[in-house]
Amino acid sequence: MKYRRAKRRPCSLRGVNCLKRSTHVLLMALVASNAMAQIGLERSKMSATDNYSPTWHETINAFEELASKTKHSALFEIGKSDVGRPIHAFLLGQNADDVSNLLDLSEFRESNQNRVCLLINNAIHPGEPCGVDASLSWLESLMNDAKKRSQMLAKMDVLIIPMYNVGGALNRNCCTRTNQDGPEEYGFRGNARNLDLNRDFIKMDSRNSHAFVQLFHAIDPDVFIDTHTSNGADYPYAMTLITTQTDKIGPVLGPFLEEVMVPHLFESMRQLGQEIVPYVNTRDQTPESGIIGFLESPRYSTGYTSLFGTLGFTSEAHMLKPFPVRVAATIQLIDCIASFSMEYAEEILDIRQAEQERLKNAVELPVHWELNIEDSTLMPFRGYKTRREVSQVTGDIRLRYDQEEIWEEEIPYFNHYESDEHTSVPNFYIIPQAWKEVVERCQWNGVKMSELPSDTIMEVEVTYIQDFKPMSFPYEGHHINRLDSIDLRVESVRLFKGDWIVTTDQKSLRYLVETLDPRGHDSFFKWNFFDSAMEQKEYFSTYVFEETALQLLQSDDDLKKRFEREKLKNKEFIDNSRAQLNWLYLNSVHFEGTVNRYPVFQSIEKKQ
């Protein structure tokens, strides 16, 4: 696969050694003002000193007004949120006013496959509304720049979700984002069910995620941006960026991201006076220790979209910077990504097609990755000096960032993830119809299935869960199962008319592999969809089983020898009569034998 390589200029992160906070804030405000002027911002509510972000109603009204300005834009509903209010999408594309629903949108995209598609998702965490204001400002600038709009429409379609977490946006407050520098009011992280929607893309518990997934598959976006605001360490940068992890996304898309797209974006932002760095996910407490690349598993938006070959980015504006500064940086990043997508439209379409060809021929795929902590590169970084001092609140030693003193040095960047679990791709999976929640989620994600026409006995590969440990507390409405190991066996399994055959010769292969293989980071097993299959249902009564156990030992010499060996190697076993009887029960025909049998089966034959 050939593609153009962006010119790789060294990205200078050098700056003054000492900067007073008042001067720093003033400079950032000036940068914000200049950025807005460069983009062509005219919205009166977004001056460089304004600290206001619109409500849900105001946002939808503003997008409706934009949609009315040209035949190349439309606003329509894509589904309901958990709070019962609609979720909207805004389309900017050639003759977009013909689109009024998802079916129209799917047909629209089908007829425009030669144009790259950019999807922007805002307010998944409504307390982080930078993307809402930035998207409105960016769109308005396009509406007022006919030449740039015409150039963009010739190459790409843009979809924007104004506010994804409607329930959280309606739960508006001033203070739950502790220490965030504006806006004066914002929404709440949890949705109407108190779910964090950026943990819901695989398990799909919310109506919101159902709406998103329908939109996503209707348009098959080539590039995706999820807009956020970051907390954590303090540093001078107004914007940091999470890129879909390049090792995890694979050997076709990964190099394009790492060698072409990301360097181009960083350089473009630098030329706008807005230097950015990777998301500051520190190895220890402060950036000096190094930054670890974020492994976004499929529960997260970009981890989910990457399953289908979409190039994903999460913008992370820094919460300690003034709100107008954060909005300006988000506008610039959106514009840089959109401009790159327009300029490299042909390469992006080609590289995604090459990814599909790779998956079509894949016989083995990774399902789990681990950070290689021994492998790092040095990256230039500007940070605030840190100090340890006695807390006036607790009396303990506390961390303080001194914004009056900036240090510069190269710090380690750990971003090499190695796949530590692989699966041989079967010709097909079988999902028994009893597991309807899993079947539904697969169908919602475009997985093609066929029903068994009659009851049958089939020899298949069966997975047994050797050991797992559920989390002791709830997490996003579930508990996470921590898997130890699995055992694969070939067995004859009884199947029923209506059970589902899922072939692997389809576009959703990575989705299937990473959700149905229990070892996947966010497999359906990990999210405890199959817990009842792990339970034993039949037991024995000790006083009655005594006679049966004696008969077993008297009639089976091999069983008796193994029983004696077990007693020799385990003293506690000798002293526990119940354990001895249970051992004999588990090794007899009376034991049901399906405990911990994972109820998704695979063909014995693998893809060649």
Side-chain angles (χ1 to χ4, degrees):
M1 183 67 203
K2 294 183 178 179
Y3 48 76
R4 287 180 286 162
R5 293 179 183 270
K7 292 181 180 179
R8 302 194 66 176
R9 304 180 182 91
C11 188
S12 171
L13 297 179
R14 307 303 177 192
V16 294
N17 291 325
C18 183
L19 193 63
K20 301 294 183 183
R21 172 155 175 78
S22 59
T23 306
H24 194 195
V25 172
L26 175 61
L27 286 173
M28 285 193 294
L30 288 172
V31 168
S33 181
N34 290 335
M36 292 172 183
Q38 289 170 2
I39 297 298
L41 179 64
E42 295 180 2
R43 291 179 61 238
S44 59
K45 283 259 181 180
M46 267 319 304
S47 71
T49 57
D50 191 42
N51 198 31
Y52 183 81
S53 186
T55 66
W56 177 71
H57 290 95
E58 291 169 338
T59 298
I60 300 307
N61 288 339
F63 275 93
E64 284 177 341
E65 183 179 345
L66 286 171
S68 68
K69 288 188 174 183
T70 169
K71 68 176 183 178
H72 300 308
S73 57
L75 183 72
F76 51 93
E77 296 180 11
I78 61 172
K80 296 290 186 183
S81 64
D82 277 345
V83 78
R85 306 291 174 86
I87 301 173
H88 293 81
F90 178 93
L91 170 64
L92 182 66
Q94 295 282 12
N95 300 314
D97 59 349
D98 292 335
V99 175
S100 61
N101 54 54
L102 284 173
L103 179 59
D104 291 344
L105 179 62
S106 183
E107 293 172 353
F108 174 86
R109 283 294 302 149
E110 185 70 25
S111 62
N112 290 291
Q113 291 182 352
N114 62 323
R115 293 212 300 270
V116 71
C117 182
L118 169 64
L119 173 62
I120 301 173
N121 188 38
N122 294 316
I124 193 170
H125 298 150
E128 308 170 16
C130 301
V132 176
D133 296 75
S135 293
L136 283 168
S137 299
W138 181 70
L139 283 173
E140 187 167 23
S141 73
L142 284 176
M143 296 301 181
N144 295 324
D145 188 338
K147 181 180 179 181
K148 183 174 182 178
R149 185 176 71 247
S150 177
Q151 291 173 338
M152 184 168 289
L153 290 175
K155 291 288 189 74
M156 66 188 297
D157 300 319
V158 178
L159 271 293
I160 298 176
I161 300 175
M163 280 190 173
Y164 177 54
N165 184 352
V166 180
L170 294 173
N171 187 6
R172 202 164 161 93
N173 69 91
C174 68
C175 308
T176 52
R177 295 278 298 180
T178 308
N179 301 124
Q180 180 170 287
D181 192 348
E184 60 192 37
E185 286 187 348
Y186 41 73
F188 184 67
R189 187 179 187 92
N191 84 331
R193 288 183 57 182
N194 203 36
L195 292 172
D196 184 334
L197 294 179
N198 203 26
R199 310 293 186 272
D200 196 45
F201 285 93
I202 283 298
K203 60 188 181 69
M204 292 185 68
D205 289 335
S206 66
R207 295 170 75 183
N208 303 63
S209 62
H210 196 186
F212 180 93
V213 163
Q214 289 184 92
L215 173 69
F216 181 83
H217 291 294
I219 64 174
D220 186 23
D222 302 289
V223 181
F224 173 67
I225 306 172
D226 203 6
T227 60
H228 288 251
T229 300
S230 175
N231 52 16
D234 197 4
Y235 40 81
Y237 306 99
M239 174 64 69
T240 65
L241 185 65
I242 298 175
T243 302
T244 292
Q245 211 289 318
T246 53
D247 292 323
K248 186 170 70 69
I249 203 171
V252 173
L253 297 174
F256 180 77
L257 274 170
E258 187 172 21
E259 299 171 18
V260 181
M261 193 168 187
V262 172
H264 189 286
L265 295 179
F266 276 56
E267 177 61 18
S268 298
M269 290 291 282
R270 188 191 69 80
Q271 291 181 4
L272 291 172
Q274 190 71 255
E275 290 179 323
I276 62 174
V277 292
Y279 176 60
V280 183
N281 180 28
T282 58
R283 183 183 180 188
D284 290 323
Q285 196 172 13
T286 61
E288 294 96 320
S289 63
I291 293 174
I292 294 176
F294 189 72
L295 186 75
E296 14 75 279
S297 65
R299 75 186 66 175
Y300 302 103
S301 61
T302 55
Y304 167 81
T305 57
S306 69
L307 294 178
F308 302 93
T310 298
L311 304 170
F313 299 90
T314 300
S315 66
E316 292 282 1
H318 192 216
M319 67 178 286
L320 299 181
K321 303 299 180 285
F323 181 60
V325 173
R326 304 202 306 269
V327 172
T330 307
I331 295 171
Q332 290 173 313
L333 183 63
I334 289 173
D335 196 60
C336 286
I337 292 176
S339 297
F340 178 91
S341 301
M342 180 175 62
E343 180 183 353
Y344 284 77
E346 184 178 344
E347 284 91 341
I348 290 172
L349 295 174
D350 286 347
I351 205 80
R352 292 195 72 217
Q353 182 59 41
E355 171 67 1
Q356 283 302 307
E357 290 298 317
R358 178 183 80 91
L359 293 178
K360 187 185 298 184
N361 299 312
V363 297
E364 184 180 72
L365 286 173
V367 294
H368 195 275
W369 291 261
E370 286 288 342
L371 178 70
N372 184 342
I373 201 65
E374 303 299 324
D375 189 346
S376 66
T377 57
L378 292 176
M379 59 171 283
F381 189 87
R382 244 183 14 252
Y384 294 132
K385 281 286 187 181
T386 56
R387 308 190 187 285
R388 299 295 195 281
E389 56 188 48
V390 177
S391 167
Q392 297 183 42
V393 177
T394 67
D396 203 352
I397 300 299
R398 57 154 292 185
L399 170 68
R400 180 192 292 277
Y401 286 91
D402 185 352
Q403 296 176 342
E404 294 187 351
E405 189 172 356
I406 292 179
W407 55 267
E408 296 181 59
E409 62 183 61
E410 291 188 327
I411 64 172
Y413 181 39
F414 303 88
N415 194 36
H416 177 42
Y417 282 84
E418 297 176 347
S419 52
D420 58 347
E421 296 283 1
H422 292 75
T423 187
S424 296
V425 179
N427 287 337
F428 60 83
Y429 292 97
I430 298 174
I431 309 176
Q433 61 196 294
W435 305 97
K436 63 183 182 66
E437 293 85 2
V438 169
V439 170
E440 288 172 345
R441 282 154 179 78
C442 290
Q443 291 171 336
W444 293 340
N445 279 280
V447 173
K448 298 173 184 176
M449 301 178 168
S450 59
E451 295 182 73
L452 275 176
S454 60
D455 294 358
T456 186
I457 303 293
M458 187 181 295
E459 195 171 62
V460 292
E461 186 174 82
V462 179
T463 301
Y464 283 85
I465 307 299
Q466 293 291 87
D467 194 17
F468 73 99
K469 184 177 182 181
M471 289 177 63
S472 59
F473 52 88
Y475 176 71
E476 297 301 324
H478 292 249
H479 64 74
I480 299 294
N481 287 326
R482 302 192 184 281
L483 179 65
D484 181 24
S485 60
I486 62 172
D487 180 34
L488 300 176
R489 308 174 195 171
V490 173
E491 295 180 355
S492 294
V493 173
R494 185 182 182 188
L495 302 171
F496 297 93
K497 177 182 178 181
D499 288 346
W500 295 98
I501 302 289
V502 184
T503 61
T504 54
D505 57 345
Q506 51 184 302
K507 185 177 180 179
S508 54
L509 177 59
R510 281 198 66 174
Y511 173 86
L512 287 171
V513 166
E514 294 191 38
T515 58
L516 296 183
D517 190 303
R519 297 168 295 178
H521 288 275
D522 279 326
S523 69
F524 290 127
F525 172 80
K526 293 281 186 73
W527 281 105
N528 82 292
F529 280 88
F530 294 114
D531 273 11
S532 60
M534 304 296 110
E535 299 175 11
Q536 183 176 336
K537 296 302 181 185
E538 303 282 7
Y539 295 88
F540 62 91
S541 296
T542 304
Y543 78 97
V544 178
F545 191 66
E546 282 278 355
E547 283 76 13
T548 303
L550 180 60
Q551 291 174 4
L552 288 170
L553 290 171
Q554 290 174 341
S555 61
D556 189 333
D557 289 339
D558 180 65
L559 177 67
K560 184 175 181 180
K561 290 177 183 177
R562 289 190 289 121
F563 182 61
E564 295 299 328
R565 285 200 297 269
E566 189 69 23
K567 289 194 291 185
L568 287 173
K569 70 180 182 181
N570 189 345
K571 185 178 185 304
E572 293 180 0
F573 186 71
I574 298 175
D575 299 331
N576 189 330
S577 59
R578 172 71 191 188
Q580 293 181 51
L581 290 175
N582 189 58
W583 187 94
L584 290 168
Y585 173 74
L586 295 178
N587 285 274
S588 75
V589 295
H590 303 288
F591 178 54
E592 61 208 65
T594 56
V595 179
N596 286 2
R597 189 177 78 175
Y598 182 62
V600 175
F601 312 119
Q602 301 181 34
S603 63
I604 299 171
E605 300 80 16
K606 307 301 179 183
K607 287 182 68 175
Q608 301 295 325

